[in-house]
Amino acid sequence: MASTIFRNFQAHPFLLCPTTALFGRRSRVLYCTMRNPESQTATREKQQPQIKVSPHTQNNRLDKFSKDYDAVIGIETHVQLSTLTKAFCSCPYDYGSPPNTNVCPICMGLPGALPVLNSKVIEFAVKLGLALNCKLSLDSKFDRKQYFYPDLPKGYQISQFDVPIASGGYIDLDLPVEFGGGHRRFGITRVHMEEDAGKLLHSENGSYSQEIALPLHFAVDLNRAGVPLLEIVSEPEMRTGIEAAEYAAELQRLVRYLGVSNGNMQEGSLRCDVNVSVRPLGQLQFGTKVEIKNLNSFSSVSRAIDFEISRQVQLLSQGQGDRILQETRQWEEGAQKTVTMRKKEGLADYRYFPEPDLPAVSLREDVLFLANDIYVANFFDATIAKGADVKLATNWIMSDIAAFMKNEKLAISEVKLTPQELAELIACIKGGTISGKIGKQILFELLAKGGTVKGLIKEKDLVQIVDPVEIEKMVDKVLAENPKQLEQYRSGKTKLQGYFAGQIMKVSKGKANPGLLNKILLEKLNANS
């Protein structure tokens, strides 16, 4: 049944028409008929007295009241991650694909479909969190954020609430000279992982587009539903539209440099929702916060904020502060103004609770170590690309290689060892060509002098001894030379096994296979006990 519906969805988007709120089926297409909430809020906006601020007088008005009022600005930035698949399923996301062609029962929210976390989302979250100087949560979790909107198929969004993956960071930037210059540091409240919703396609004549203009009909495209996002919430520390725009531009540069997102605002890969409030100068309490959406460029961020500051300042200066409502407003590029979209929800409206279908997210120290230095991370990635075992590569880099760099005061780019040779060394140990002990000797020579693993093994005759007959001769020799210790072992001092193993390793010059050695040794030790 689910697969049948899935095929229908690929061929036909959800169609929604402004009549009643009924569900039905026609020609095997699931559709819903309802009124467009945006058209309703726009109608209410028309019915209310409008405050018109001319673009020509906006800057003058801002200058006039800037001495009397203080603006407080915070930004919630959604960054779409450049993963191959969505956050909780294997569907790809290709911008511009035909509607409802990259969907499955999981991202469509069909009953019984269970999410599975894409581990790349965690990797990108850790990278960005560290780049923003945040403290990472070693143990975080996912939550359900409950709300209804036509493009949210499950009726809730998988997000993070009280335990985000990163928090308490900051970002530094320098304002352009033409805007006054100066250094700024803005706090980062939190960075959390979540999934995206779908997209509404609007039409007045049966031809659907992505533009918003009081449509008569609209359809739902779920290609974007389930795409992984990182939401970056700033502290309310910005005071002008220019500061906010430069903050957003710096985030774009950062996510592009890290490779976690393409940051293209025109594609929705980086979206900014700004929160603006105004208060009399000297007042500690914040004013009423207004959120502005639909900002698709940095210039729009700056102009929308400046307009909203001007609108709120005018109301306050006229003694009409009660008309500033906690709401979500939309920036109209053509009219260069903000208009009401909907009343702003509060935390109680979302009814958060822990996501029962996903386990907690646990980070370990090796992840933090590898991600803390981009050069170490690149070295690790290059080693893995050569086929090295992930855990073994992590252990070698975190322990012996890190210790060598610390003692010699070198960066990883300054050591003679290459990712190719580290991968070769790990392969030789796993394959039994050399022992772990010999591997350490080779590693330190490669770190200090360079060379190749195979070349050193041949030059120093380090190939591991795996012939049982040869190892048995060594075991017999050591036991014969240590009769007192052999008697003590057979009297109950079994810890002496380690002593015998060490002596045999000396005889073999460290080349005896440890597993085979211990097997033969135990057989000999317990033969007559």
Side-chain angles (χ1 to χ4, degrees):
M1 181 63 179
S3 61
T4 303
I5 298 176
F6 174 42
R7 287 195 296 271
N8 291 335
F9 277 66
Q10 288 185 315
H12 308 280
F14 288 107
L15 300 179
L16 299 116
C17 306
T19 52
T20 60
L22 300 175
F23 287 86
R25 291 184 183 275
R26 289 180 184 170
S27 303
R28 302 197 315 167
V29 178
L30 181 65
Y31 68 96
C32 169
T33 58
M34 65 192 320
R35 292 192 180 276
N36 183 355
E38 291 177 6
S39 63
Q40 290 180 354
T41 54
T43 301
R44 290 196 297 269
E45 180 82 9
K46 290 180 179 180
Q47 294 172 349
Q48 296 176 355
Q50 297 293 300
I51 295 177
K52 296 183 179 179
V53 181
S54 168
H56 301 290
T57 61
Q58 181 175 325
N59 291 334
N60 291 335
R61 185 166 292 135
L62 277 171
D63 293 338
K64 178 180 178 182
F65 293 109
S66 61
K67 297 180 181 179
D68 301 321
Y69 294 94
D70 181 31
V72 179
I73 304 160
I75 300 184
E76 299 168 5
T77 308
H78 291 85
V79 176
Q80 180 180 302
L81 301 182
S82 298
T83 55
L84 296 178
T85 59
K86 295 184 181 181
F88 305 111
C89 67
S90 59
C91 291
Y93 175 69
D94 298 315
Y95 179 77
S97 296
N100 297 310
T101 54
N102 297 327
V103 292
C104 73
I106 295 175
C107 51
M108 289 165 57
L110 297 185
L114 296 176
V116 177
L117 176 61
N118 182 347
S119 62
K120 203 71 176 178
V121 177
I122 301 175
E123 178 186 330
F124 285 174
V126 169
K127 276 187 177 182
L128 185 57
L130 291 172
L132 290 172
N133 307 288
C134 291
K135 178 182 178 182
L136 296 179
S137 298
L138 295 184
D139 293 287
S140 63
K141 63 183 178 66
F142 285 99
D143 301 276
R144 288 187 179 182
K145 182 180 181 181
Q146 315 281 332
Y147 65 96
F148 173 78
Y149 206 63
D151 58 6
L152 191 69
K154 293 190 292 287
Y156 62 84
Q157 177 189 37
I158 299 178
S159 182
Q160 290 189 299
F161 177 47
D162 55 328
V163 190
I165 194 165
S167 59
Y170 61 87
I171 187 170
D172 291 314
L173 60 92
D174 294 302
L175 293 180
V177 175
E178 58 268 30
F179 298 123
H183 179 78
R184 297 288 191 277
R185 170 172 288 184
F186 299 120
I188 303 295
T189 306
R190 58 188 281 147
V191 178
H192 66 258
M193 303 176 285
E194 63 183 21
E195 62 177 340
D196 208 345
K199 184 185 296 182
L200 295 183
L201 307 180
H202 301 77
S203 170
E204 291 185 356
N205 55 12
S207 177
Y208 291 97
S209 71
Q210 297 176 14
E211 298 179 357
I212 300 175
L214 300 180
L216 294 177
H217 301 82
F218 59 95
V220 177
D221 176 14
L222 294 182
N223 279 346
R224 200 171 67 183
V227 168
L229 302 176
L230 292 180
E231 180 172 343
I232 308 164
V233 182
S234 79
E235 292 287 338
E237 296 176 345
M238 295 160 229
R239 296 294 178 263
T240 67
I242 289 299
E243 287 185 351
E246 287 300 313
Y247 163 88
E250 185 68 14
L251 281 183
Q252 184 190 61
R253 288 188 284 269
L254 182 61
V255 299
R256 285 176 171 174
Y257 175 78
L258 294 174
V260 303
S261 173
N262 63 28
N264 295 337
M265 296 190 77
Q266 69 274 17
E267 296 179 6
S269 297
L270 189 144
R271 310 195 291 272
C272 296
D273 299 335
V274 300
N275 296 300
V276 182
S277 66
V278 172
R279 60 186 175 184
L281 200 63
Q283 176 179 302
L284 297 179
Q285 182 181 359
F286 290 157
T288 302
K289 179 176 66 175
V290 173
E291 182 181 39
I292 309 174
K293 288 185 177 288
N294 194 32
L295 303 173
N296 56 13
S297 69
F298 300 129
S299 60
S300 294
V301 170
S302 178
R303 286 181 277 115
I305 289 173
D306 288 345
F307 174 89
E308 187 59 27
I309 292 173
S310 177
R311 184 184 76 88
Q312 294 185 29
V313 163
Q314 184 175 7
L315 287 171
L316 288 170
S317 65
Q318 295 175 352
Q320 301 181 54
D322 58 339
R323 289 179 56 191
I324 303 175
L325 306 176
Q326 183 172 337
E327 62 180 350
T328 299
R329 296 178 71 86
Q330 170 181 302
W331 173 246
E332 289 191 348
E333 187 66 36
Q336 291 288 292
K337 67 177 183 178
T338 64
V339 296
T340 297
M341 283 182 66
R342 60 178 179 268
K343 178 184 175 183
K344 178 64 178 175
E345 298 89 351
L347 288 179
D349 299 313
Y350 292 130
R351 304 185 308 283
Y352 283 98
F353 68 85
E355 169 57 67
D357 294 333
L358 289 168
V361 177
S362 296
L363 302 180
R364 293 296 170 255
E365 295 302 328
D366 51 355
V367 176
L368 306 184
F369 177 86
L370 294 172
N372 192 49
D373 185 327
I374 190 171
Y375 299 106
V376 173
N378 289 340
F379 188 95
F380 171 77
D381 288 340
T383 303
I384 300 306
K386 299 297 181 180
D389 180 274
V390 174
K391 186 58 180 175
L392 291 176
T394 302
N395 292 343
W396 282 100
I397 293 173
M398 287 183 58
S399 55
D400 296 286
I401 296 175
F404 179 85
M405 292 191 299
K406 183 178 180 180
N407 292 337
E408 301 297 325
K409 295 181 173 56
L410 296 174
I412 200 163
S413 58
E414 298 173 311
V415 302
K416 305 296 184 181
L417 175 70
T418 66
Q420 170 69 46
E421 291 308 312
L422 178 57
E424 181 67 30
L425 181 64
I426 292 170
C428 286
I429 296 172
K430 282 193 70 176
T433 303
I434 57 175
S435 65
K437 184 176 181 180
I438 293 295
K440 283 195 176 187
Q441 296 175 17
I442 294 175
L443 175 71
F444 287 116
E445 185 149 352
L446 291 173
L447 285 167
K449 300 178 182 179
T452 67
V453 174
K454 291 182 177 178
L456 288 173
I457 291 174
K458 183 177 180 180
E459 176 188 338
K460 298 179 181 295
D461 188 24
L462 299 175
V463 176
Q464 187 167 237
I465 300 172
V466 293
D467 183 356
V469 175
E470 190 174 351
I471 292 177
E472 185 177 5
K473 290 178 182 179
M474 296 178 189
V475 172
D476 290 337
K477 181 177 185 297
V478 169
L479 293 180
E481 292 174 349
N482 295 274
K484 182 179 178 180
Q485 289 81 359
L486 178 58
E487 183 180 350
Q488 290 174 339
Y489 174 88
R490 289 174 175 172
S491 298
K493 294 185 178 180
T494 54
K495 290 184 179 180
L496 284 170
Q497 179 190 344
Y499 167 79
F500 289 114
Q503 294 302 308
I504 298 166
M505 273 296 182
K506 284 183 180 179
V507 173
S508 71
K509 298 180 180 179
K511 295 190 292 181
N513 179 279
L516 191 56
L517 183 155
N518 282 302
K519 179 177 180 294
I520 295 172
L521 175 61
L522 277 174
E523 290 174 355
K524 295 283 186 177
L525 287 172
N526 298 324
N528 299 315
S529 60

